[in-house]
Amino acid sequence: MILVVGGGLAGLSAAHELEKAGRDYLLIEKEKKTGGLCRSFQVKGYTFDYSGHLLCVKDEGVLEWIQDLLDGQISFFERRASIYVEGSWVPYPFQANLGFLPQKAMAECLADFLKQAATGGPASASNEEDLGSWLVSTFGEAICEYFFVPYNEKLFGRSLKELVPQGIEWSIPRPSIEGVINGAFGATNEKLGYNATFHYPRNGGIEEIPKAIASRLKSVRFSCDLKKVRWPERKALLGDGKEVEYEAMISTAPLPELLTLLDPSPPWANRGVKALKWVSVWVLNLGVRRQGVSDQHWIYFPEREFPFFRVGCYSAFGPHLVPAGCSSLYVEIPGHTVNQMGEENCIRETLHALVRCGILRSAGEVEVVFPLEIPVAYVIHDRERLQLLPTILDQLQEWGIHCAGRYGSWGYGTMEDAIIQGREVASRLLK
């Protein structure tokens, strides 16, 4: 029997492969339903998600599978995203649309970019380079000062000298020199990056995707978490008190959490628990009594005067997510910011800041405030992770524990990546 831990996209996709092959498996999910962070909530006529989870697809086979699961009820979108900086709305990606900045800021960014480009810039991230240095060597100092440094330091709550680019550099669009110059003089370069297009269900929220996958599975146990992994015997103690034997385990649980469950606990696992770090995110979901609050799918806020780092508009994904004549927003705030400010103060300051930037006309037009916490949201990509992670994953695999998904493999990835990782792990075990 193969034990699949976690009913998010990676676990569901793995279980689906095992189901198709007729393999004996059991998927356990600690919540009352599957989906992981791809879950939706209905509140007073509004449909909210755990923030803006969108299906960005490169593999046509993945898209065809999802379309089949949803009977074609999925919409295609071309990204509308921007960065609010210096009182201007700069189309995303920032580095390719400098012409939307005030003249002085545009000139600084372009001059520094060209100066850095003249040195050749980095071909790829080196093992010695920190994230801040890599960004400067890629885009120049001014672009980093206006956007990359304040945005990432706000999100991660630490200096970029403590982070490394490996594992996240793929997600940062790098336009050509010609593209940056054209963008500085008025051209709009919006179709760069992995998320230039995406898909979202036409009915319900993002959880329609995992719900459709789960409906094809026969061996799922809800409200059942993993308590201990007796790896020498390949036995798992479950939250319902039962012990199961497994030939192999596919874990999509956050890796540090899994390491605490190993029995006996090897010394390297204790090192991993201390070394693998993350940030939490507080998602403030808002229902607004006004149509068309924003046409942007999401907006980045690097400046310190805003407690949030990103704001998105659910209702831009479809009118089915809100009552008639209304809009809905998701506002992402770093967990460390909420801890410093306190929840009530953070909500109040967030609403005032949304008015200051022009998204809201007044705090009074907000009729629903629905906060959600993502306790493990973004993995910290630092040098300790870079050094320890391959050894940890290799050792677990040697013991028959295969990790998959964004948090299982402890990295940064898309919904599509989670689906593919789950499939790939299951396929390896089937072979």
Side-chain angles (χ1 to χ4, degrees):
M1 188 269 287
I2 297 175
L3 180 63
V4 182
V5 180
L9 287 176
L12 290 169
S13 300
H16 190 269
E17 288 297 299
L18 300 174
E19 179 89 40
K20 282 197 308 180
R23 192 71 158 80
D24 186 24
Y25 74 93
L26 170 64
L27 186 151
I28 61 171
E29 168 54 50
K30 65 181 180 180
E31 302 292 342
K32 294 179 181 178
K33 61 180 179 178
T34 54
L37 292 179
C38 287
R39 282 185 291 152
S40 306
F41 305 84
Q42 281 69 47
V43 184
K44 296 182 179 179
Y46 293 89
T47 299
F48 299 123
D49 295 331
Y50 262 117
S51 192
H53 283 95
L54 311 170
L55 182 64
C56 306
V57 182
K58 295 174 289 186
D59 186 325
E60 285 299 317
V62 170
L63 179 58
E64 289 172 7
W65 181 53
I66 299 297
Q67 287 175 326
D68 181 61
L69 286 170
L70 297 183
D71 294 324
Q73 295 301 301
I74 189 164
S75 297
F76 169 82
F77 295 89
E78 292 187 350
R79 177 190 64 211
R80 296 191 301 270
S82 55
I83 303 95
Y84 185 80
V85 61
E86 292 282 299
S88 300
W89 301 89
V90 180
Y92 179 87
F94 180 87
Q95 57 272 27
N97 293 289
L98 300 176
F100 289 80
L101 285 166
Q103 184 67 26
K104 179 175 178 293
M106 182 278 286
E108 288 176 19
C109 290
L110 181 59
D112 277 1
F113 173 80
L114 293 175
K115 179 181 176 182
Q116 189 59 44
T119 69
S124 59
S126 71
N127 287 333
E128 292 74 34
E129 216 167 14
D130 61 72
L131 178 59
S133 300
W134 180 78
L135 287 167
V136 169
S137 65
T138 304
F139 300 110
E141 289 187 4
I143 287 176
C144 293
E145 288 173 1
Y146 278 103
F147 177 54
F148 285 112
V149 171
Y151 177 80
N152 285 287
E153 287 189 347
K154 180 192 287 191
L155 169 56
F156 292 109
R158 63 199 71 212
S159 166
L160 299 197
K161 291 181 180 179
E162 299 178 39
L163 306 178
V164 295
Q166 288 87 349
I168 55 175
E169 79 276 22
W170 64 269
S171 67
I172 301 172
R174 282 179 266 176
S176 64
I177 295 174
E178 181 182 10
V180 173
I181 293 172
N182 289 341
F185 289 98
T188 303
N189 297 306
E190 295 181 312
K191 295 182 180 180
L192 298 172
Y194 72 93
N195 53 12
T197 61
F198 62 89
H199 293 77
Y200 193 88
R202 286 182 192 155
N203 300 302
I206 198 64
E207 81 169 14
E208 295 303 311
I209 295 175
K211 192 163 71 174
I213 304 172
S215 69
R216 271 70 170 178
L217 304 180
K218 296 175 184 174
S219 188
V220 181
R221 196 177 297 176
F222 296 101
S223 301
C224 182
D225 56 351
L226 186 65
K227 290 297 185 184
K228 276 188 182 179
V229 181
R230 297 192 173 105
W231 53 269
E233 309 155 58
R234 299 209 179 190
K235 292 181 179 179
L237 179 65
L238 306 184
D240 57 9
K242 294 180 181 177
E243 189 173 70
V244 297
E245 291 187 26
Y246 61 86
E247 297 168 49
M249 178 188 296
I250 299 174
S251 175
T252 68
L255 185 57
E257 178 184 321
L258 174 68
L259 296 180
T260 66
L261 305 180
L262 298 178
D263 182 21
S265 179
W268 55 263
N270 295 328
R271 277 188 66 203
V273 170
K274 294 175 182 176
L276 300 179
K277 298 177 283 291
W278 65 91
V279 292
S280 62
V281 167
W282 207 58
V283 183
L284 196 61
N285 291 298
L286 303 177
V288 184
R289 289 189 304 268
R290 175 162 59 88
Q291 194 169 358
V293 163
S294 175
D295 69 343
Q296 297 292 286
H297 296 123
W298 65 88
I299 308 158
Y300 300 95
F301 286 84
E303 295 168 329
R304 292 189 182 277
E305 69 168 290
F306 302 100
F308 41 82
F309 62 91
R310 185 165 54 193
V311 175
C313 187
Y314 290 121
S315 43
F317 308 145
H320 65 284
L321 298 173
V322 295
C326 296
S327 302
S328 56
L329 301 170
Y330 57 94
V331 185
E332 297 174 320
I333 308 166
H336 50 262
T337 299
V338 179
N339 291 337
Q340 290 165 6
M341 297 177 66
E343 289 190 13
E344 288 187 14
N345 188 39
C346 196
I347 291 174
R348 184 170 57 252
E349 289 301 313
T350 292
L351 295 179
H352 291 163
L354 290 171
V355 173
R356 285 201 306 275
C357 70
I359 293 178
L360 292 179
R361 292 174 183 169
S362 74
E365 63 181 349
V366 175
E367 65 175 350
V368 174
V369 177
F370 183 67
L372 289 169
E373 184 187 12
I374 305 177
V376 180
Y378 288 94
V379 168
I380 297 291
H381 285 66
D382 59 10
R383 205 159 297 285
E384 280 188 296
R385 174 194 169 277
L386 195 63
Q387 292 167 350
L388 287 175
L389 186 61
T391 302
I392 291 172
L393 295 178
D394 287 347
Q395 183 59 72
L396 289 172
Q397 187 165 321
E398 192 174 311
W399 292 345
I401 302 171
H402 306 261
C403 297
R406 181 169 179 169
Y407 304 112
S409 59
W410 206 244
Y412 181 61
T414 65
M415 289 174 60
E416 180 189 41
D417 292 330
I419 290 169
I420 291 173
Q421 283 184 29
R423 283 179 167 185
E424 288 178 346
V425 170
S427 296
R428 285 203 307 270
L429 294 176
L430 289 168
K431 290 177 183 176

